[in-house]
Amino acid sequence: MSYYTSLDQVPLSLNADELAKVLDISTPVAYELMRSEGFPTLYIGKRMIVFKTKFLEWIDQQTPV
C-alpha cells in the first residue's frame, strides 16, 4: 500500500525512502532507480534526492502516449 494518497502530500524533494513509498517499491529498488542513467537525481555529497517536479517530468517522459 502506498504511503501517499495524493501528489499534494509528496514533499518537494524525495530521498530513496520517500521515492520508494511514492512508487510502492522497495528502498533498494529506489536506490537502483536513483542511480540509473536518465533519472533526475541530484547528488549533494553522498546524499541523493530528486525534486518532485523533475520526478513528475520523468514519469511523463516514461509513460507511452
Side-chain angles (χ1 to χ4, degrees):
M1 182 174 155
S2 182
Y3 179 80
Y4 302 106
T5 57
S6 78
L7 284 176
D8 293 333
Q9 295 175 334
V10 176
L12 291 176
S13 65
L14 300 107
N15 61 27
D17 289 330
E18 293 161 333
L19 182 64
K21 291 174 183 173
V22 169
L23 294 175
D24 199 20
I25 59 176
S26 69
T27 300
V29 172
Y31 274 111
E32 185 177 325
L33 178 60
M34 292 181 85
R35 290 185 183 107
S36 67
E37 187 176 332
F39 192 80
T41 302
L42 174 65
Y43 291 85
I44 303 172
K46 292 183 179 182
R47 187 167 185 240
M48 297 187 304
I49 64 168
V50 60
F51 285 104
K52 176 180 172 177
T53 54
K54 295 294 185 184
F55 171 61
L56 294 175
E57 288 173 14
W58 178 82
I59 288 175
D60 284 341
Q61 294 169 358
Q62 305 308 307
T63 306
V65 184

